[in-house]
């Protein structure tokens, strides 16, 4: 089904079920089946959200209260955990982008036959799960690096590679990279300037979605941070859960809402981007 | 750690475009050129080698070393001969299988119901929600479920009004059944995300063609729909299997590390909870896990490729 509003295609191609008109009994059964599937999903996915919201807005006497929420900023240790997580995320993003953007752009431009190799390599972090990777990273890092929290950032760069590569490849596939680069070069721009003021602005939405997905991953990463002994936000949450369950659940709900807002942002940006491309192609 | 873009070769013809070359001098020049072309890729490959390759080699190497540092199968034998580590693998594999198969079936049904629904709002809502929930693993999920079906959780007290307190009927959030229930929460959305494109690939014309040839709805699914969907469903199940096998944070936060699952055991070894004569056992656990992940992911890619035949 394609919904067309003036000039803009909103939804993709989704087939409708074909149900023979003559067999009402069957049709009825199918409708009931569909309703049951949706009902189970609704109950399973919404009950925990409702229960957690309820729990997060309760004080120790089980009365409604905003105190778990309002006491979050003054929790001991949260400030430094937040600051550490932010620094780790910042370093991770700078290194990941600085490493991946020039490399992937160059690969698309000059050696596109390496695409399958890049696809395979950037999927390896999925084969080697974080719990196993940190097992190998700790004994193989030099001492000066092991005593620094930024070891985590360097490993997180590996973890976010699949997301960054996938976003970049999609973004590069949507623009005419060769023409852009040739135009810029023939007007006398250096390679650096071409990358910085021509290619990167055209990859804005791809870079943004890569950043948001990576940030969500880095800020929520518990496995490596806890085993490397650094108190980032998730490690702090687990450590605090023994003291006050209400505050813990309040923080958990806040992070769910933050993830929701960020991902909705990507989806809407993606949509506006594809609308613009579509308009450009139509005109 | 950035590549230096101004050192890129400026001559566009330097890319190895496969022009037939004759003569030794020419071919060596081409080799030099292709070397120069791949030079800017060196930082990336070096990073992957150091950040991913070296740790993997360390794990594989130490998995086959005994306490004296000699090559040996001691660690692997210690795991496979029984005891807590073999039990850990059994539970982990069972957990991964259950949290792959159930969400795969239910996720496919849900994705089908949603993709074929008349309501555009429902489709969009489920698409966004799947993206959020599939990324919502980790420690937060554990606490949200403790608030829901923990011993004093909201759903628990609601159900016990009807005498249906799940804790009195064999349910325990802090054991394997609880971990399964919690993993479904990110596995089902993950399944919906990856199977929806395949369901969109079922073309209406196929159903019409089957209908015109006299096929019933059952026959359409038996001979057209399911065979086309099957590689995607099986491939996605393997991906879910890998995701359930390697998850650590949720189970750790939920059970406080008391459950016998391989990732939890690896974590315990890293925290120093290991017998003195089994110092390298953690690496052997990690090595076996890499092998299992490799098998399921290779299966996933193979089936995905098989499935992509119909998704054009």
């Amino acid at each position: 089904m394609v919904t067309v509003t003036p000039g803009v295609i909103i939804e993709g191609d989704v087939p409708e079920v074909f149900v023979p008109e003559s067999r009402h009994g069957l049709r009825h059964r199918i409708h009931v089946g569909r309703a049951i599937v949706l009902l189970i999903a609704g109950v399973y996915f919404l009950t925990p959200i409702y229960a957690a919201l309820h729990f997060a807005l309760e004080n120790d006497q089980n009365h409604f209260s905003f105190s778990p929420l309002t006491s979050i900023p003054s929790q001991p240790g949260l400030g430094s955990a937040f600051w550490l997580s932010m620094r780790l995320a910042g370093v991770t993003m700078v290194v990941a982008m600085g490493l991946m953007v020039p490399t992937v752009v160059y690969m698309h431009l000059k050696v596109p036959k390496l695409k399958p190799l890049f696809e395979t390599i950037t999927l390896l972090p999925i084969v080697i799960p974080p719990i196993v990777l940190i097992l190998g990273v700790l004994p193989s890092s030099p001492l000066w690096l092991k005593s620094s929290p930024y070891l985590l950032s360097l490993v997180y760069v590996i973890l976010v590679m699949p997301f960054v590569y996938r976003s970049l490849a999609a973004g590069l596939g949507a623009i005419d990279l060769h023409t852009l680069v040739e135009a810029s070069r023939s007007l006398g721009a250096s390679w650096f300037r071409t990358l910085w003021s021509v290619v990167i602005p055209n990859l804005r939405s791809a870079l943004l979605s890569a950043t948001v997905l990576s940030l969500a991953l880095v800020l929520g990463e518990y496995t490596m941070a806890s085993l490397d002994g650094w108190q980032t936000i998730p490690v702090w949450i687990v450590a605090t859960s023994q003291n006050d369950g209400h505050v813990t659940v309040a923080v958990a709900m806040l992070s769910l809402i933050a993830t929701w807002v960020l991902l909705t942002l990507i989806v809407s940006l993606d949509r506006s981007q594809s609308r613009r491309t579509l308009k450009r192609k139509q005109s | 750690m950035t590549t230096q873009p101004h050192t890129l070769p400026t001559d566009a013809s330097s890319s190895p475009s496969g022009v037939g070359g004759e003569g030794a001098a020419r071919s060596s020049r081409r080799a030099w050129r292709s070397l120069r072309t791949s030079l800017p890729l060196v930082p990336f490959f070096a990073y992957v080698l150091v950040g991913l390759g070296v740790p993997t080699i360390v794990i594989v190497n130490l998995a086959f070393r005994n306490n004296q540092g000699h090559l040996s199968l001691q660690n692997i034998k210690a795991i496979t001969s029984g005891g807590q580590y073999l039990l850990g693998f059994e539970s982990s594999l069972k957990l991964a299988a259950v949290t792959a198969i159930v969400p795969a079936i239910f996720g496919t049904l849900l994705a089908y119901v949603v993709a074929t629904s008349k309501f555009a709002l429902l489709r969009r809502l489920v698409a966004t929600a799947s993206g959020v929930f599939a990324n919502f693993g980790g420690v937060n999920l554990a606490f949200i479920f403790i608030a829901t079906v923990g011993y004093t959780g909201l759903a628990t007290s609601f159900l016990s009004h009807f005498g249906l307190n799940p804790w009195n009927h064999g349910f325990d959030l802090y054991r394997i059944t609880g971990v399964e229930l919690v993993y479904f929460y990110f596995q089902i959305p993950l399944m919906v995300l990856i199977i929806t494109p395949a369901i969109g690939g079922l073309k209406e014309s196929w159903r019409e063609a089957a209908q015109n040839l006299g096929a019933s709805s059952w026959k359409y699914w038996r001979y057209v729909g399911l065979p086309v969907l099957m590689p995607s469903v099986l491939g996605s199940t393997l991906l879910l299997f890998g995701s359930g096998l390697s998850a650590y944070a949720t189970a750790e936060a939920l059970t406080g590390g008391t459950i016998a699952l391989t990732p939890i055991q690896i974590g315990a070894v890293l925290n120093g909870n290991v017998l003195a004569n089994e110092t390298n056992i953690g690496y052997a656990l990690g090595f076996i896990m890499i092998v299992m992940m490799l098998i399921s992911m290779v299966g996933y890619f193979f089936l995905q490729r098989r499935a992509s035949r119909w998704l054009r």
Side-chain angles (χ1 to χ4, degrees):
Chain A
M1 199 178 73
V2 180
T3 321
V4 181
T5 55
V8 180
I9 294 177
I10 292 177
E11 283 302 319
D13 218 17
V14 182
E16 265 193 84
V17 240
F18 180 85
V19 183
E21 290 294 324
S22 54
R23 298 165 69 183
H24 284 288
L26 183 69
R27 198 179 186 187
H28 181 71
R29 274 217 310 274
I30 289 175
H31 274 289
V32 170
R34 293 164 77 89
I36 289 174
V37 169
L38 286 178
L39 188 73
I40 294 174
V43 169
Y44 178 67
F45 283 102
L46 297 181
T47 308
I49 304 232
Y50 173 74
L53 277 177
H54 198 277
F55 193 76
L57 296 175
E58 249 180 15
N59 58 18
D60 292 335
Q61 285 80 46
N62 294 337
H63 296 305
F64 177 82
S65 153
F66 282 108
S67 66
L69 269 182
T70 50
S71 71
I72 288 175
S74 58
Q75 292 292 321
L78 179 61
S80 60
F82 185 81
W83 174 231
L84 177 63
S85 277
M86 287 300 147
R87 278 183 300 159
L88 290 182
V91 173
T92 306
M93 291 326 295
V94 169
V95 176
M97 291 299 176
L99 185 71
M100 299 281 290
V101 173
T103 308
V104 178
V105 168
Y106 180 82
M107 186 271 286
H108 268 249
L109 204 58
K110 298 279 184 180
V111 270
K113 63 173 179 181
L114 289 185
K115 256 183 227 172
L117 179 68
F118 269 75
E119 270 162 28
T120 315
I121 287 182
T122 52
L123 281 170
L124 285 178
I126 297 175
V127 177
I128 303 180
I131 178 75
V132 179
L133 186 58
I134 194 70
L135 185 72
V137 164
L138 289 179
S140 55
S141 322
L143 201 63
W144 57 269
L145 192 56
K146 224 170 20 181
S147 55
S148 152
Y150 295 108
L151 171 66
L152 284 174
S153 281
L154 298 181
V155 189
Y156 289 165
V157 170
I158 301 276
L159 284 198
V160 301
M161 259 179 198
F163 301 97
V164 177
Y165 177 75
R166 228 88 58 85
S167 300
L168 277 179
L172 285 168
I175 61 172
D176 192 348
L177 186 63
H178 274 277
T179 312
L180 283 176
V181 171
E182 268 168 37
S184 165
R185 294 286 296 153
S186 68
L187 288 170
S190 67
W191 278 105
F192 180 76
R193 196 169 160 75
T194 302
L195 185 70
W196 187 253
S197 2
V198 177
V199 178
I200 287 181
N202 274 292
L203 291 174
R204 223 175 7 219
S205 93
L207 290 175
L208 193 79
S209 78
T211 307
V212 172
L213 281 172
S214 309
L215 280 182
L217 193 143
V218 171
L219 293 179
E221 207 285 327
Y222 171 80
T223 308
M224 293 180 164
S226 71
L227 291 172
D228 196 21
W230 293 99
Q231 199 165 66
T232 57
I233 297 174
V235 180
W236 177 85
I237 291 178
V238 173
T240 325
S241 67
Q242 271 102 39
N243 304 335
D244 191 337
H246 296 285
V247 174
T248 308
V249 173
V251 175
M253 285 315 284
L254 277 185
S255 85
L256 176 68
I257 293 165
T259 318
W260 192 291
V261 169
L262 282 174
L263 287 176
T264 313
L265 203 74
I266 306 183
V267 172
S268 55
L269 275 169
D270 261 7
R271 196 168 285 154
S272 68
Q273 177 82 5
S274 60
R275 263 184 219 174
R276 242 187 308 154
T277 326
L278 202 74
K279 269 188 187 158
R280 214 180 294 146
K281 274 180 187 160
Q282 280 171 343
S283 55
Chain B
M1 271 289 181
T2 56
T3 51
Q4 294 301 307
H6 54 262
T7 63
L8 309 190
T10 47
D11 182 8
S13 70
S14 64
S15 66
S17 50
V19 188
E22 300 94 18
R26 202 166 161 188
S27 78
S28 84
R29 207 162 57 227
R30 268 207 340 200
W32 168 238
R33 268 188 191 165
S34 76
L35 193 75
R36 228 175 49 154
T37 316
S38 42
L39 209 59
L41 301 175
V42 166
F44 172 78
F45 284 109
Y47 198 101
V48 173
L49 191 71
V50 172
L52 201 61
V54 170
T56 311
I57 293 168
V58 166
I59 291 170
V60 175
N61 179 31
L62 290 178
F64 294 99
R65 302 264 169 189
N66 61 17
N67 293 340
Q68 289 75 43
H70 300 304
L71 273 179
S72 104
L73 284 174
Q74 180 194 318
N75 302 311
I76 305 285
K77 273 186 192 142
I79 293 169
T80 52
S81 63
Q84 54 159 334
Y85 293 118
L86 190 68
L87 209 69
F89 269 114
E90 273 171 24
S91 318
S92 270
L93 287 173
K94 207 184 124 231
L95 174 73
V98 171
T99 60
I101 293 169
V102 176
I105 296 170
F106 187 74
T108 307
L109 283 175
L110 182 63
Y112 182 77
V113 166
V114 170
T116 58
S117 139
K118 287 195 263 312
F119 307 105
L121 185 68
L122 178 72
R123 289 202 299 268
R124 199 174 301 164
L125 190 75
V126 171
T128 320
S130 305
V132 174
F133 288 135
N135 287 297
F136 189 63
V139 296
N140 293 323
L141 192 57
F143 296 118
I144 283 174
F145 265 85
I146 292 174
T148 311
V149 283
Y151 202 69
T152 56
L154 199 74
T156 310
S157 49
F158 176 76
L159 285 171
S160 49
H161 284 310
F162 307 98
L164 288 171
N165 186 338
W167 289 76
N168 297 338
H169 294 84
F171 176 80
D172 187 338
L173 182 63
Y174 309 115
R175 286 172 190 275
I176 207 90
T177 46
V179 176
E180 281 167 3
L181 183 77
V182 178
Y183 278 19
F184 290 166
Y185 207 78
F186 59 85
Q187 298 276 58
I188 294 173
L190 184 59
M191 185 67 189
V192 171
L193 274 189
I194 48 186
I195 203 69
T196 298
I199 288 174
L202 285 178
K203 292 193 182 62
E204 192 58 13
S205 53
W206 298 344
R207 188 188 274 275
E208 282 160 11
Q211 206 86 42
N212 288 342
L213 292 169
S216 63
S217 189
W218 152 250
K219 276 202 166 155
Y220 163 74
W221 279 112
R222 167 72 185 79
Y223 293 106
V224 182
L226 280 182
V228 169
L229 270 191
M230 219 17 123
S232 302
V233 173
L234 289 179
S236 309
T237 311
L238 281 177
L239 188 78
L240 295 192
F241 183 85
S243 144
L245 187 68
S246 60
Y248 168 81
T250 311
E252 170 74 19
L254 195 64
T255 67
T258 55
I259 196 167
L261 292 171
T262 306
I264 305 281
Q265 290 174 335
I266 294 178
V269 171
L270 268 175
N271 282 330
N273 300 328
V274 64
L275 296 173
N277 60 348
E278 292 184 336
T279 44
N280 285 340
I281 200 103
Y283 301 103
L285 292 173
F287 169 72
I288 299 176
M289 203 132 141
I290 293 178
V291 173
M292 288 175 176
M293 289 299 287
L294 205 61
I295 293 170
S296 55
M297 289 303 118
V298 167
Y300 164 68
F301 295 130
F302 176 75
L303 285 163
Q304 257 338 54
R305 244 190 28 212
R306 179 89 172 65
S308 67
R309 263 193 229 171
W310 299 102
L311 292 177
R312 292 209 182 102

